[in-house]
Amino acid sequence: QGAPQDRTLRFATPDGEVALAFDAVVLALGGASWPRLGSDGAWVLSLIEAGAAVAPLQPSNCGFDVAGGWSEYFRSRHAGAPLKNVALTVSGDGAAPAAQIGECVVTETGIEGSLVYALSASIRDRIAQGGSLTVRLDLLPALEATRVAAEVARPRGSRSLATHLKSRLGLAGVKAALLHECLSREQIADPRRLAEAIKAVPLTLAAARPVAEAISTAGGVRFESLRDDLMLHDCPGVFCAGEMLDWEAPTGGYLLTACFASGVAAGLGVLAMLTHGADAR
């Protein structure tokens, strides 16, 4: 906690509160996605009071809930199961569709995992605009739609549909169950509509998971409140870096690299200020 305008910071220590004056300080306080480890976004109010513009913190690299939830049958049998080698397509609001191949996981309430995280910003923003978003899952991205249609329409004799799909297309387990979860009986019984659905299972997402469950957060200190060296315009000597800035990146190395890079930029800004004064750029 602190009062940046007064150029003091207050620390809670085992020996009580300690106030320290500073010439320059770099704040790297994170977002709000790991509150149990201290990254709870409590700094937001202090910086707003100090004159900084702060975009609301939102979940990023996160999972999503399906509208209405899974059926109890599907949830109890498949929560935790991975959907491997699938393609996720996000479209809507007039923007070009975004698609990616990868892997995700069925959760108790929806879907999450690396494939979902990669497109989470687009999904989250479109849900905010429309209240929900229907994405499409291609269960067999390596096969052309014509091949899938031909195999589904092939006569199956006395074999069950489940056996037919498994033997002809390798569809079984959670992928086959997802078709039954998301399609009507009429769609399942119609070879053409079933084949179309295998290449584009409609999945309506209603909300991102809470920010406390997210890997990272979007939002934070807006760049118009910062100089190029990441010092706050209204608080000379106070620099900001890392996830508390208003940006977001895919999970993994991208996220870490950008945090480290902003830390370097802020550190160089501190050196310049201490050497040449607050007006140095």
Side-chain angles (χ1 to χ4, degrees):
Q1 296 180 354
Q5 308 96 321
D6 299 333
R7 305 179 76 78
T8 60
L9 294 174
R10 300 193 309 276
F11 296 91
T13 76
D15 298 321
E17 185 177 286
V18 175
L20 297 176
F22 65 86
D23 294 316
V25 62
V26 177
L27 303 179
L29 302 176
S33 59
W34 293 89
R36 63 187 180 279
L37 300 180
S39 182
D40 59 6
W43 54 266
V44 170
L45 182 58
S46 295
L47 287 197
I48 290 176
E49 291 175 344
V54 181
L57 299 180
Q58 304 180 77
S60 180
N61 294 298
C62 58
F64 292 86
D65 293 338
V66 297
W70 299 123
S71 68
E72 176 59 25
Y73 181 91
F74 183 80
R75 184 198 61 76
S76 64
R77 287 163 176 77
H78 298 289
L83 285 162
K84 296 185 176 183
N85 191 27
V86 295
L88 178 63
T89 298
V90 178
S91 59
D93 68 20
Q100 191 159 327
I101 295 176
E103 179 177 328
C104 59
V105 177
V106 172
T107 67
E108 292 279 339
T109 62
I111 55 174
E112 65 176 28
S114 58
L115 177 58
V116 178
Y117 302 155
L119 297 170
S120 63
S122 177
I123 296 172
R124 180 199 65 225
D125 293 346
R126 285 167 172 166
I127 289 176
Q129 292 174 1
S132 65
L133 176 71
T134 299
V135 300
R136 305 285 171 172
L137 271 177
D138 183 346
L139 301 181
L140 298 172
L143 296 182
E144 295 291 338
T146 52
R147 166 75 184 283
V148 173
E151 295 295 350
V152 172
R154 188 184 294 271
R156 57 187 173 91
S158 61
R159 294 187 303 176
S160 68
L161 178 61
T163 301
H164 181 66
L165 293 179
K166 182 177 181 179
S167 64
R168 302 307 310 183
L169 293 170
L171 277 176
V174 65
K175 286 188 176 182
L178 187 63
L179 289 171
H180 287 277
E181 178 74 4
C182 297
L183 305 180
S184 66
R185 289 186 177 183
E186 291 75 15
Q187 289 172 307
I188 291 286
D190 183 329
R192 179 185 62 80
R193 297 169 74 186
L194 175 58
E196 291 174 350
I198 290 171
K199 294 294 290 179
V201 179
L203 194 61
T204 300
L205 304 177
R209 293 298 299 163
V211 68
E213 297 180 16
I215 290 177
S216 61
T217 48
V221 180
R222 295 186 185 274
F223 284 96
E224 57 262 34
S225 292
L226 299 162
R227 305 191 329 176
D228 291 343
D229 59 4
L230 301 184
M231 184 169 76
L232 287 168
H233 287 296
D234 293 339
C235 298
V238 178
F239 297 76
C240 298
E243 200 177 329
M244 68 183 295
L245 303 179
D246 183 19
W247 62 279
E248 61 181 312
T251 185
Y254 298 102
L255 184 64
L256 293 174
T257 299
C259 285
F260 297 153
S262 66
V264 170
L268 292 174
V270 169
L271 289 175
M273 192 207 83
L274 294 179
T275 303
H276 304 291
D279 292 331
R281 294 281 177 163

mmCIF file of all heavy atoms in Angstrom, residues 196-227:
data_model
loop_
_atom_site.group_PDB
_atom_site.id
_atom_site.type_symbol
_atom_site.label_atom_id
_atom_site.label_comp_id
_atom_site.label_asym_id
_atom_site.label_seq_id
_atom_site.Cartn_x
_atom_site.Cartn_y
_atom_site.Cartn_z
ATOM 1 N N GLU A 196 -22.138 -33.047 -41.025
ATOM 2 C CA GLU A 196 -21.859 -31.612 -40.895
ATOM 3 C C GLU A 196 -21.491 -31.265 -39.454
ATOM 4 O O GLU A 196 -20.588 -30.455 -39.211
ATOM 5 C CB GLU A 196 -23.078 -30.807 -41.335
ATOM 6 C CG GLU A 196 -23.354 -30.881 -42.836
ATOM 7 C CD GLU A 196 -24.657 -30.188 -43.223
ATOM 8 O OE1 GLU A 196 -25.432 -29.828 -42.290
ATOM 9 O OE2 GLU A 196 -24.907 -30.020 -44.423
ATOM 10 N N ALA A 197 -22.177 -31.888 -38.510
ATOM 11 C CA ALA A 197 -21.922 -31.588 -37.103
ATOM 12 C C ALA A 197 -20.560 -32.116 -36.653
ATOM 13 O O ALA A 197 -19.887 -31.488 -35.833
ATOM 14 C CB ALA A 197 -23.023 -32.180 -36.233
ATOM 15 N N ILE A 198 -20.152 -33.256 -37.170
ATOM 16 C CA ILE A 198 -18.830 -33.792 -36.816
ATOM 17 C C ILE A 198 -17.737 -32.790 -37.166
ATOM 18 O O ILE A 198 -16.749 -32.647 -36.449
ATOM 19 C CB ILE A 198 -18.595 -35.137 -37.525
ATOM 20 C CG1 ILE A 198 -19.505 -36.220 -36.914
ATOM 21 C CG2 ILE A 198 -17.127 -35.569 -37.418
ATOM 22 C CD1 ILE A 198 -19.510 -37.529 -37.682
ATOM 23 N N LYS A 199 -17.936 -32.071 -38.264
ATOM 24 C CA LYS A 199 -16.955 -31.067 -38.688
ATOM 25 C C LYS A 199 -17.204 -29.706 -38.042
ATOM 26 O O LYS A 199 -16.373 -28.801 -38.175
ATOM 27 C CB LYS A 199 -16.985 -30.927 -40.211
ATOM 28 C CG LYS A 199 -16.527 -32.173 -40.963
ATOM 29 C CD LYS A 199 -15.044 -32.457 -40.717
ATOM 30 C CE LYS A 199 -14.157 -31.419 -41.378
ATOM 31 N NZ LYS A 199 -12.712 -31.680 -41.110
ATOM 32 N N ALA A 200 -18.327 -29.554 -37.349
ATOM 33 C CA ALA A 200 -18.628 -28.245 -36.734
ATOM 34 C C ALA A 200 -19.661 -28.420 -35.631
ATOM 35 O O ALA A 200 -20.812 -27.980 -35.757
ATOM 36 C CB ALA A 200 -19.116 -27.252 -37.776
ATOM 37 N N VAL A 201 -19.267 -29.068 -34.539
ATOM 38 C CA VAL A 201 -20.187 -29.224 -33.414
ATOM 39 C C VAL A 201 -20.498 -27.843 -32.833
ATOM 40 O O VAL A 201 -19.581 -27.110 -32.453
ATOM 41 C CB VAL A 201 -19.577 -30.098 -32.306
ATOM 42 C CG1 VAL A 201 -20.561 -30.231 -31.136
ATOM 43 C CG2 VAL A 201 -19.228 -31.478 -32.837
ATOM 44 N N PRO A 202 -21.769 -27.444 -32.782
ATOM 45 C CA PRO A 202 -22.099 -26.130 -32.202
ATOM 46 C C PRO A 202 -22.075 -26.190 -30.682
ATOM 47 O O PRO A 202 -22.711 -27.042 -30.065
ATOM 48 C CB PRO A 202 -23.514 -25.871 -32.731
ATOM 49 C CG PRO A 202 -24.094 -27.242 -32.901
ATOM 50 C CD PRO A 202 -22.953 -28.152 -33.277
ATOM 51 N N LEU A 203 -21.311 -25.294 -30.082
ATOM 52 C CA LEU A 203 -21.187 -25.267 -28.624
ATOM 53 C C LEU A 203 -21.378 -23.825 -28.162
ATOM 54 O O LEU A 203 -20.567 -22.954 -28.464
ATOM 55 C CB LEU A 203 -19.803 -25.782 -28.224
ATOM 56 C CG LEU A 203 -19.583 -26.144 -26.764
ATOM 57 C CD1 LEU A 203 -20.527 -27.266 -26.345
ATOM 58 C CD2 LEU A 203 -18.138 -26.573 -26.548
ATOM 59 N N THR A 204 -22.478 -23.569 -27.452
ATOM 60 C CA THR A 204 -22.777 -22.209 -27.010
ATOM 61 C C THR A 204 -22.144 -21.949 -25.649
ATOM 62 O O THR A 204 -22.421 -22.652 -24.675
ATOM 63 C CB THR A 204 -24.289 -21.982 -26.940
ATOM 64 O OG1 THR A 204 -24.854 -22.186 -28.241
ATOM 65 C CG2 THR A 204 -24.594 -20.554 -26.503
ATOM 66 N N LEU A 205 -21.300 -20.919 -25.595
ATOM 67 C CA LEU A 205 -20.599 -20.546 -24.369
ATOM 68 C C LEU A 205 -21.265 -19.309 -23.779
ATOM 69 O O LEU A 205 -21.575 -18.356 -24.502
ATOM 70 C CB LEU A 205 -19.133 -20.274 -24.663
ATOM 71 C CG LEU A 205 -18.373 -21.430 -25.342
ATOM 72 C CD1 LEU A 205 -16.938 -21.023 -25.643
ATOM 73 C CD2 LEU A 205 -18.405 -22.690 -24.471
ATOM 74 N N ALA A 206 -21.478 -19.341 -22.478
ATOM 75 C CA ALA A 206 -22.251 -18.273 -21.839
ATOM 76 C C ALA A 206 -21.413 -17.306 -21.021
ATOM 77 O O ALA A 206 -21.787 -16.146 -20.854
ATOM 78 C CB ALA A 206 -23.328 -18.885 -20.935
ATOM 79 N N ALA A 207 -20.271 -17.763 -20.496
ATOM 80 C CA ALA A 207 -19.487 -16.885 -19.625
ATOM 81 C C ALA A 207 -18.093 -17.443 -19.433
ATOM 82 O O ALA A 207 -17.880 -18.664 -19.452
ATOM 83 C CB ALA A 207 -20.161 -16.731 -18.262
ATOM 84 N N ALA A 208 -17.146 -16.524 -19.234
ATOM 85 C CA ALA A 208 -15.795 -16.930 -18.847
ATOM 86 C C ALA A 208 -15.818 -17.380 -17.391
ATOM 87 O O ALA A 208 -16.654 -16.938 -16.595
ATOM 88 C CB ALA A 208 -14.823 -15.763 -19.025
ATOM 89 N N ARG A 209 -14.910 -18.248 -17.045
ATOM 90 C CA ARG A 209 -14.782 -18.630 -15.654
ATOM 91 C C ARG A 209 -14.298 -17.432 -14.839
ATOM 92 O O ARG A 209 -13.740 -16.483 -15.369
ATOM 93 C CB ARG A 209 -13.794 -19.798 -15.518
ATOM 94 C CG ARG A 209 -14.280 -21.089 -16.149
ATOM 95 C CD ARG A 209 -15.545 -21.592 -15.487
ATOM 96 N NE ARG A 209 -15.351 -21.890 -14.075
ATOM 97 C CZ ARG A 209 -16.334 -22.023 -13.191
ATOM 98 N NH1 ARG A 209 -17.604 -21.856 -13.542
ATOM 99 N NH2 ARG A 209 -16.062 -22.306 -11.931
ATOM 100 N N PRO A 210 -14.511 -17.424 -13.521
ATOM 101 C CA PRO A 210 -14.131 -16.270 -12.697
ATOM 102 C C PRO A 210 -12.649 -15.929 -12.837
ATOM 103 O O PRO A 210 -11.807 -16.811 -13.068
ATOM 104 C CB PRO A 210 -14.467 -16.737 -11.278
ATOM 105 C CG PRO A 210 -15.535 -17.773 -11.461
ATOM 106 C CD PRO A 210 -15.198 -18.475 -12.742
ATOM 107 N N VAL A 211 -12.328 -14.654 -12.670
ATOM 108 C CA VAL A 211 -10.956 -14.196 -12.861
ATOM 109 C C VAL A 211 -9.993 -14.910 -11.910
ATOM 110 O O VAL A 211 -8.824 -15.124 -12.248
ATOM 111 C CB VAL A 211 -10.880 -12.660 -12.690
ATOM 112 C CG1 VAL A 211 -11.154 -12.244 -11.262
ATOM 113 C CG2 VAL A 211 -9.540 -12.128 -13.168
ATOM 114 N N ALA A 212 -10.466 -15.314 -10.746
ATOM 115 C CA ALA A 212 -9.598 -16.007 -9.789
ATOM 116 C C ALA A 212 -9.123 -17.356 -10.308
ATOM 117 O O ALA A 212 -8.124 -17.894 -9.823
ATOM 118 C CB ALA A 212 -10.318 -16.186 -8.453
ATOM 119 N N GLU A 213 -9.824 -17.924 -11.299
ATOM 120 C CA GLU A 213 -9.441 -19.205 -11.876
ATOM 121 C C GLU A 213 -8.609 -19.054 -13.142
ATOM 122 O O GLU A 213 -8.090 -20.039 -13.661
ATOM 123 C CB GLU A 213 -10.695 -20.024 -12.208
ATOM 124 C CG GLU A 213 -11.540 -20.392 -11.011
ATOM 125 C CD GLU A 213 -12.763 -21.205 -11.420
ATOM 126 O OE1 GLU A 213 -12.789 -21.732 -12.546
ATOM 127 O OE2 GLU A 213 -13.696 -21.299 -10.602
ATOM 128 N N ALA A 214 -8.492 -17.836 -13.649
ATOM 129 C CA ALA A 214 -7.806 -17.620 -14.925
ATOM 130 C C ALA A 214 -6.301 -17.715 -14.757
ATOM 131 O O ALA A 214 -5.753 -17.513 -13.666
ATOM 132 C CB ALA A 214 -8.179 -16.257 -15.493
ATOM 133 N N ILE A 215 -5.621 -18.016 -15.848
ATOM 134 C CA ILE A 215 -4.158 -18.039 -15.822
ATOM 135 C C ILE A 215 -3.605 -16.618 -15.731
ATOM 136 O O ILE A 215 -2.601 -16.360 -15.076
ATOM 137 C CB ILE A 215 -3.615 -18.763 -17.065
ATOM 138 C CG1 ILE A 215 -3.926 -20.264 -16.963
ATOM 139 C CG2 ILE A 215 -2.115 -18.547 -17.229
ATOM 140 C CD1 ILE A 215 -3.493 -21.059 -18.170
ATOM 141 N N SER A 216 -4.261 -15.685 -16.381
ATOM 142 C CA SER A 216 -3.811 -14.295 -16.364
ATOM 143 C C SER A 216 -5.014 -13.382 -16.510
ATOM 144 O O SER A 216 -6.152 -13.852 -16.631
ATOM 145 C CB SER A 216 -2.800 -14.038 -17.488
ATOM 146 O OG SER A 216 -3.396 -14.291 -18.754
ATOM 147 N N THR A 217 -4.753 -12.070 -16.491
ATOM 148 C CA THR A 217 -5.846 -11.118 -16.618
ATOM 149 C C THR A 217 -5.565 -10.102 -17.712
ATOM 150 O O THR A 217 -4.422 -9.765 -17.996
ATOM 151 C CB THR A 217 -6.080 -10.342 -15.298
ATOM 152 O OG1 THR A 217 -4.845 -9.851 -14.798
ATOM 153 C CG2 THR A 217 -6.713 -11.232 -14.253
ATOM 154 N N ALA A 218 -6.642 -9.647 -18.318
ATOM 155 C CA ALA A 218 -6.595 -8.503 -19.226
ATOM 156 C C ALA A 218 -6.980 -7.271 -18.424
ATOM 157 O O ALA A 218 -7.492 -7.365 -17.310
ATOM 158 C CB ALA A 218 -7.565 -8.713 -20.380
ATOM 159 N N GLY A 219 -6.766 -6.089 -19.026
ATOM 160 C CA GLY A 219 -7.048 -4.859 -18.310
ATOM 161 C C GLY A 219 -5.851 -4.436 -17.476
ATOM 162 O O GLY A 219 -4.826 -5.115 -17.417
ATOM 163 N N GLY A 220 -5.971 -3.287 -16.833
ATOM 164 C CA GLY A 220 -4.888 -2.770 -16.019
ATOM 165 C C GLY A 220 -4.624 -1.309 -16.326
ATOM 166 O O GLY A 220 -5.476 -0.607 -16.874
ATOM 167 N N VAL A 221 -3.449 -0.833 -15.974
ATOM 168 C CA VAL A 221 -3.093 0.570 -16.162
ATOM 169 C C VAL A 221 -3.050 0.887 -17.651
ATOM 170 O O VAL A 221 -2.304 0.267 -18.408
ATOM 171 C CB VAL A 221 -1.734 0.887 -15.513
ATOM 172 C CG1 VAL A 221 -1.384 2.364 -15.713
ATOM 173 C CG2 VAL A 221 -1.755 0.546 -14.026
ATOM 174 N N ARG A 222 -3.869 1.842 -18.074
ATOM 175 C CA ARG A 222 -3.938 2.192 -19.491
ATOM 176 C C ARG A 222 -2.670 2.942 -19.912
ATOM 177 O O ARG A 222 -2.104 3.730 -19.149
ATOM 178 C CB ARG A 222 -5.164 3.057 -19.760
ATOM 179 C CG ARG A 222 -6.499 2.341 -19.522
ATOM 180 C CD ARG A 222 -7.658 3.224 -19.941
ATOM 181 N NE ARG A 222 -8.946 2.649 -19.630
ATOM 182 C CZ ARG A 222 -9.593 1.790 -20.428
ATOM 183 N NH1 ARG A 222 -9.046 1.431 -21.574
ATOM 184 N NH2 ARG A 222 -10.779 1.331 -20.079
ATOM 185 N N PHE A 223 -2.264 2.698 -21.160
ATOM 186 C CA PHE A 223 -1.006 3.274 -21.623
ATOM 187 C C PHE A 223 -1.072 4.790 -21.759
ATOM 188 O O PHE A 223 -0.033 5.456 -21.716
ATOM 189 C CB PHE A 223 -0.581 2.609 -22.928
ATOM 190 C CG PHE A 223 -0.016 1.227 -22.724
ATOM 191 C CD1 PHE A 223 -0.815 0.109 -22.877
ATOM 192 C CD2 PHE A 223 1.302 1.059 -22.340
ATOM 193 C CE1 PHE A 223 -0.303 -1.165 -22.658
ATOM 194 C CE2 PHE A 223 1.827 -0.204 -22.113
ATOM 195 C CZ PHE A 223 1.031 -1.329 -22.280
ATOM 196 N N GLU A 224 -2.270 5.356 -21.883
ATOM 197 C CA GLU A 224 -2.339 6.814 -21.943
ATOM 198 C C GLU A 224 -1.986 7.459 -20.605
ATOM 199 O O GLU A 224 -1.719 8.659 -20.531
ATOM 200 C CB GLU A 224 -3.730 7.282 -22.390
ATOM 201 C CG GLU A 224 -4.876 6.811 -21.530
ATOM 202 C CD GLU A 224 -5.571 5.586 -22.112
ATOM 203 O OE1 GLU A 224 -4.870 4.755 -22.728
ATOM 204 O OE2 GLU A 224 -6.803 5.485 -21.952
ATOM 205 N N SER A 225 -1.982 6.657 -19.528
ATOM 206 C CA SER A 225 -1.572 7.175 -18.224
ATOM 207 C C SER A 225 -0.066 7.094 -18.025
ATOM 208 O O SER A 225 0.448 7.545 -16.991
ATOM 209 C CB SER A 225 -2.261 6.388 -17.103
ATOM 210 O OG SER A 225 -3.641 6.636 -17.075
ATOM 211 N N LEU A 226 0.639 6.500 -18.989
ATOM 212 C CA LEU A 226 2.067 6.231 -18.842
ATOM 213 C C LEU A 226 2.890 6.950 -19.901
ATOM 214 O O LEU A 226 2.441 7.134 -21.034
ATOM 215 C CB LEU A 226 2.322 4.722 -18.969
ATOM 216 C CG LEU A 226 1.645 3.824 -17.940
ATOM 217 C CD1 LEU A 226 1.630 2.385 -18.445
ATOM 218 C CD2 LEU A 226 2.371 3.908 -16.603
ATOM 219 N N ARG A 227 4.080 7.352 -19.532
ATOM 220 C CA ARG A 227 5.031 7.832 -20.521
ATOM 221 C C ARG A 227 5.613 6.629 -21.264
ATOM 222 O O ARG A 227 5.362 5.475 -20.899
ATOM 223 C CB ARG A 227 6.161 8.616 -19.835
ATOM 224 C CG ARG A 227 5.681 9.752 -18.979
ATOM 225 C CD ARG A 227 6.785 10.682 -18.526
ATOM 226 N NE ARG A 227 8.095 10.071 -18.331
ATOM 227 C CZ ARG A 227 9.191 10.750 -18.008
ATOM 228 N NH1 ARG A 227 9.133 12.062 -17.845
ATOM 229 N NH2 ARG A 227 10.347 10.142 -17.826
#
